[in-house]
Amino acid sequence: MIRLHIKLNLKATILWALILLLIVFGFMAFFPSMANDSMKELVDGKLNGLPDSILSIVGFETFPDFTDINVFYGYIMQYVMMALAVFSMSLGLNTYIKEEKEGTIEFLFAQPQSRQSLILNKLAANILLLTVVITTLVASSVLSFILFKPESINLGTLLSDNLIVFLSYYLLSF
């Protein structure tokens, strides 16, 4: 049962993993240009020209310091986490909706296994599929850190600073 569920959802899982990988690499490729002081001065100059009321409406009372790789990565990850939540919810919701829509739910319930066993097998398959997407996301994040981090920052420190973000992927999706 687990293998069948994985086989049915593997294409969508790979697609989501690749899309999230491209999003991480695409945004992190912009970090070297955001990290230089001229970009910070340009952004600060443009924001200082706007009234405080406009800045508060769009949520920029204090603008993030995108010259810090942790801040830049965290800013990107809020959007990636939304996409990961959408994938997790669609995977969970489609588990039985797809069976009902295709008319195979009666076949599953007629099998010599309990409903609890059926649910646990599908849950285990979903956890495995989510783990594939999250592992791809973490690996792409680490690789983007290696490629785009400033020379002055230690990779070990950067990874330990973002360990809570990596763990939050699992917490959010499960």
Side-chain angles (χ1 to χ4, degrees):
M1 180 59 65
I2 292 175
R3 277 192 269 159
L4 177 64
H5 187 70
I6 289 173
K7 184 179 177 183
L8 291 174
N9 292 297
L10 189 61
K11 192 182 295 184
T13 302
I14 291 172
L15 182 66
W16 274 92
L18 288 175
I19 288 170
L20 292 177
L21 179 135
L22 289 174
I23 288 171
V24 169
F25 275 122
F27 278 109
M28 288 303 287
F30 285 113
F31 177 72
S33 65
M34 293 296 285
N36 66 30
D37 290 331
S38 61
M39 181 62 80
K40 182 177 170 84
E41 290 172 11
L42 175 69
V43 169
D44 287 343
K46 295 291 182 185
L47 288 176
N48 288 336
L50 294 173
D52 291 337
S53 59
I54 298 292
L55 291 175
S56 66
I57 288 172
V58 294
F60 285 134
E61 294 90 11
T62 59
F63 194 73
D65 180 18
F66 286 139
T67 60
D68 181 4
I69 193 166
N70 289 320
V71 173
F72 187 78
Y73 179 73
Y75 192 76
I76 295 166
M77 286 306 109
Q78 67 183 341
Y79 300 110
V80 172
M81 283 189 179
M82 283 187 243
L84 185 61
V86 168
F87 172 68
S88 300
M89 287 186 293
S90 69
L91 188 63
L93 291 173
N94 286 333
T95 298
Y96 287 103
I97 291 174
K98 190 183 216 182
E99 301 285 349
E100 183 68 35
K101 188 172 84 173
E102 294 174 359
T104 56
I105 194 84
E106 291 86 10
F107 172 75
L108 288 176
F109 286 151
Q111 297 301 311
Q113 65 179 1
S114 68
R115 290 183 183 197
Q116 181 181 12
S117 168
L118 178 69
I119 290 170
L120 290 176
N121 283 336
K122 286 194 172 276
L123 181 64
N126 283 345
I127 288 173
L128 188 61
L129 292 169
L130 284 170
T131 302
V132 167
V133 172
I134 294 168
T135 302
T136 303
L137 186 58
V138 170
S140 65
S141 296
V142 170
L143 189 58
S144 70
F145 285 157
I146 292 169
L147 293 174
F148 304 116
K149 75 174 183 62
E151 297 292 326
S152 62
I153 295 178
N154 183 6
L155 181 63
T157 305
L158 186 59
L159 293 176
S160 66
D161 288 346
N162 287 293
L163 184 63
I164 190 111
V165 176
F166 298 152
L167 293 175
S168 68
Y169 298 152
Y170 290 99
L171 181 65
L172 173 80
S173 62
F174 294 138

